[in-house]
Amino acid sequence: MTATFDFVTPVERRHPSNGYWPSQKWHRYAEDVLPLWVADMDFRSPPAVIEALQARVEHGVYGYGLVADGLRDAVCRWSREHYGWAIEPDWQVWLPGVVPALNMASLALTEPGDGVLTITPIYPPFLQVAERTGREPQQAAMRPPRAAGDDWQLDLEALEAAITPRTRLLLWCHPHNPTGRVWRPDELEGLARLVERHELYVVSDELHCDLLLDDGARHQPLAALFPALAARIITLWAPSKTFNLAGLTAACAVIPDAGLRQRFAARLKGLQPDGNVLGLVAAEAAYCHGEPWRQALLETLRGHRRRLEEHVARWPGVRMACPQSTYLAWLDLRESPAMQGAASPQQLLLEEARVALSDGVNFGWPGFVRLNFGTTAEQLETALQRMDGVLAS
């Protein structure tokens, strides 16, 4: 029998019936606002994860834990089956999240005043790493779509031009947040040549790699594609986006090179807490038993993506390159007649449509918004109809 999962019934997150748990997504704005901003989904996590958490909670003792061999083995198996990359259990360094890992990598691999490079638009924490760690922020812009149906492109010339003798670290997002790009092999090959030529370290945030939306798409980790660069690459994975576990704070740095791994792990000591025992339990259950749920989720997200494309087609002057991965869409509102004269498209949609999106300013690109379609069809349709009233008129 094929398992069925419920991605239709709305889950009450603002006023749950058996308690009050403030949610970043649902409590930032007024009650009449539909939140499609921060990247967590409005779906219950896989039943296997919920059952594993219930069993662990029932134990009643939540002391300091260790990363179980079963979790390490599950990640190795997942990597081999889904990416064709054979990794070892001892390559894994578990920590409380991908964002802390970005900052720890900057501290471990660079010195004060060194350059930390990334491409924009980009997930906002990337842009904060250099400042938070006393490094020099360096940015290169992607090439936006030139016509309908085009994709955002990696501009290797712009990336090369942004590099200085002080550049030491590239923060890479693969697949890309917020555009949803799945990088082509030729783009990755060009990137690898650049990294080797300038002797850069790379932190490859592959948080959304299990949410490729096109049928048959298969993720290829950067370190797997270019094993000669393994001594320079830290790969970041987590079950948080795929299985909606962000609040359980468990992520994994995969580092094949022993010297680089030791250097990174040493920097964590005293600055990061031990693993969240519930997060580690959830991660193991997700990687061991979550695949049927993930496949059902992907089918749901494909349908939501189609519905979003239908609405965007009604909005004059609004452009969206169809996201190839994850549940995030990057909308260009700069030529929308409804936005002319607006200081902030995000603020105007908040005030007039009562829909909360992420402001492109925070990603380095004013005039854009990021929309999270990882919600129920009912909630998504209500939000899009509200936006119709502003953008289609």
Side-chain angles (χ1 to χ4, degrees):
M1 179 187 295
T2 302
T4 58
F5 306 101
D6 186 358
F7 297 101
V8 175
T9 304
V11 178
E12 177 57 65
R13 299 187 63 188
R14 202 188 299 272
H15 300 295
S17 59
N18 58 342
Y20 174 75
W21 307 296
S23 157
Q24 287 190 33
K25 183 176 185 180
W26 283 87
H27 287 87
R28 171 170 289 190
Y29 298 101
E31 292 206 14
D32 65 331
V33 171
L34 279 176
L36 302 183
W37 64 288
V38 70
D40 76 5
M41 295 184 288
D42 292 317
F43 306 128
R44 286 170 61 86
S45 295
V49 170
I50 297 172
E51 291 169 7
L53 286 171
Q54 288 171 335
R56 183 63 183 85
V57 168
E58 184 64 26
H59 180 266
V61 178
Y62 316 118
Y64 300 117
L66 294 173
V67 179
D69 291 342
L71 173 55
R72 294 186 186 276
D73 291 342
V75 172
C76 291
R77 186 168 57 251
W78 187 275
S79 179
R80 183 177 62 252
E81 294 176 355
H82 291 273
Y83 320 137
W85 187 25
I87 66 172
E88 299 296 331
D90 63 1
W91 293 3
Q92 301 171 33
V93 179
W94 283 83
L95 68 164
V98 165
V99 172
L102 297 173
N103 289 274
M104 290 298 106
S106 178
L107 290 172
L109 305 178
T110 67
E111 299 295 334
D114 283 349
V116 175
L117 174 64
T118 192
I119 63 170
T120 64
I122 194 63
Y123 172 53
F126 273 57
L127 299 176
Q128 300 159 358
V129 168
E131 179 181 356
R132 287 175 173 171
T133 59
R135 276 54 174 170
E136 178 187 346
Q138 298 176 329
Q139 300 170 18
M142 292 176 66
R143 189 179 301 122
R146 295 174 179 171
D150 287 352
D151 290 323
W152 286 78
Q153 302 291 328
L154 175 62
D155 191 334
L156 286 168
E157 292 181 359
L159 198 61
E160 182 92 44
I163 295 174
T164 73
R166 295 289 309 199
T167 308
R168 293 289 181 272
L169 176 63
L170 171 66
L171 302 180
W172 181 245
C173 196
H174 171 55
H176 186 253
N177 175 5
T179 67
R181 271 299 316 278
V182 174
W183 304 108
R184 298 190 311 269
D186 63 296
E187 292 174 307
L188 295 174
E189 289 171 6
L191 180 79
R193 289 193 295 269
L194 181 148
V195 166
E196 186 174 26
R197 185 164 60 252
H198 292 281
E199 299 183 339
L200 303 179
Y201 290 106
V202 182
V203 177
S204 185
D205 173 356
E206 303 185 6
L207 194 57
H208 298 273
C209 68
D210 294 318
L211 294 174
L212 306 192
L213 296 178
D214 296 338
D215 288 333
R218 182 179 173 92
H219 177 64
Q220 295 182 297
L222 188 67
L225 286 173
F226 306 103
L229 297 178
R232 298 189 166 276
I233 300 176
I234 295 174
T235 302
L236 301 180
W237 292 339
S240 54
K241 302 305 179 187
T242 307
F243 299 104
N244 210 25
L245 305 176
L248 292 176
T249 59
C252 182
V254 179
I255 312 175
D257 183 79
L260 184 61
R261 186 167 63 249
Q262 182 178 16
R263 188 173 173 184
F264 177 75
R267 203 36 157 136
L268 299 177
K269 294 186 181 299
L271 296 177
Q272 297 290 312
D274 292 332
N276 177 343
V277 292
L278 297 182
L280 297 174
V281 165
E284 183 173 352
Y287 286 126
C288 287
H289 307 294
E291 178 60 9
W293 184 93
R294 186 181 75 95
Q295 289 298 329
L297 170 68
L298 290 174
E299 189 60 32
T300 298
L301 294 179
R302 291 183 189 114
H304 288 8
R305 181 178 62 172
R306 288 191 296 270
R307 193 65 183 131
L308 175 59
E309 287 183 289
E310 292 170 359
H311 277 269
V312 172
R314 305 172 188 170
W315 301 340
V318 177
R319 292 185 179 182
M320 180 189 74
C322 183
Q324 300 163 334
S325 65
T326 199
Y327 47 84
L328 304 170
W330 186 238
L331 305 180
D332 182 355
L333 302 179
R334 293 174 298 176
E335 297 181 8
S336 167
M339 294 296 153
Q340 299 312 303
S344 166
Q346 185 270 348
Q347 187 64 30
L348 189 146
L349 287 169
L350 176 62
E351 293 174 355
E352 297 194 10
R354 307 307 286 166
V355 174
L357 308 177
S358 296
D359 195 332
V361 169
N362 299 323
F363 297 74
W365 281 63
F368 289 74
V369 293
R370 191 188 71 177
L371 184 150
N372 175 352
F373 56 90
T375 189
T376 63
E378 176 185 346
Q379 290 176 160
L380 178 63
E381 184 63 27
T382 299
L384 293 176
Q385 288 180 6
R386 291 184 185 186
M387 293 173 68
D388 282 345
V390 176
L391 296 172
S393 55

